[in-house]
Structures are given as C-alpha cells and as structure tokens.
C-alpha cells in the first residue's frame, strides 16, 4: 500500500473551490465553530467511522489541529477505497484566504 499523500496548508486554497473535492475538518465542534476553513464540513475524528457514506467520487482532504489525526483518517479512508489527502500541519498552519473566524467565539 502506498503512503497517503500529504498537501501543504498553503496548497489547500487550490483545492477548496473544486467540485471534485470535499474538505473535512476533524476537530471537535467547538473548535470548528471558533474558526475553520471555508467550505469544510465538520466531522470530528471520533465520529468519522459513523460517516460511512462519504462520496467515493470526490477527493477527501482532511485537516485537524496539527496534522496527526488527519493523516490517520486519510490512511483509514484510503484502505476503504477513497482517494484521500492530509493537510501537513493542520489548521494551525493554514494562513490562506479561506479562513472563517467566528466573532462570537
């Protein structure tokens, strides 16, 4: 089995608006509410197994706080036949134009 491909946080902006990509934030719901990457859906890592209906035809890009959980999630999903990537450094590394920060946090 090949290792999971990782992408830099900087490269993430190139994927966000593509229709063949689903960006998944693996952090807890409270962290997601405080700030996330635009277009990302929130599926906390602990709940990923429950979401067995992720679209097979899309590239799944996972991010977490720093990159460890997203790498594990991407490996797990690739074993199930999905095409997946992990964001190196996670949300903490992202400085792109698609950052959404809650003013109520």
């Amino acid at each position: 089995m090949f290792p999971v491909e990782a992408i830099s946080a900087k490269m993430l902006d190139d994927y966000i608006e593509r229709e063949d990509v689903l960006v998944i934030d693996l952090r807890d719901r409270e962290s997601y509410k405080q700030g996330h990457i635009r277009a990302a859906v929130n599926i906390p890592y602990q709940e990923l197994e429950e979401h067995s209906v992720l679209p097979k035809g899309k590239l799944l890009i996972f991010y977490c706080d720093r990159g460890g959980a997203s790498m594990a999630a991407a490996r797990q999903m690739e074993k199930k036949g999905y095409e997946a990537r992990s964001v190196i450094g996670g949300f903490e590394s992202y400085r792109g134009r698609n950052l959404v920060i809650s003013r109520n946090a």
Side-chain angles (χ1 to χ4, degrees):
M1 177 153 280
F2 296 101
V4 170
E5 188 176 326
I7 62 169
S8 70
K10 190 174 186 177
M11 287 174 60
L12 191 53
D13 283 335
D14 296 335
Y15 289 93
I16 286 178
E17 302 204 9
R18 287 178 36 182
E19 290 194 21
D20 62 333
V21 170
L22 178 62
V23 179
I24 301 169
D25 184 324
L26 296 169
R27 299 172 306 140
D28 62 70
R29 296 198 193 295
E30 191 56 37
S31 295
Y32 179 83
K33 284 180 194 171
Q34 290 175 12
H36 59 273
I37 297 168
R38 186 175 51 84
V41 297
N42 183 223
I43 304 174
Y45 182 75
Q46 299 80 357
E47 297 174 21
L48 190 58
E49 279 297 315
E50 299 166 22
H51 285 35
S52 57
V53 290
L54 292 170
K56 285 264 188 182
K58 293 197 178 208
L59 169 62
L60 306 180
I61 299 181
F62 295 98
Y63 72 88
C64 56
D65 281 322
R66 294 195 174 93
S70 64
M71 182 58 75
R75 276 193 190 110
Q76 181 181 338
M77 298 313 280
E78 285 216 332
K79 286 180 185 171
K80 294 181 177 185
Y82 290 89
E83 184 179 4
R85 304 283 184 274
S86 172
V87 176
I88 301 166
F91 186 73
E92 296 293 320
S93 299
Y94 183 75
R95 302 285 180 268
R97 66 183 179 269
N98 290 294
L99 188 62
V100 176
I101 299 292
S102 171
R103 301 203 188 288
N104 302 329

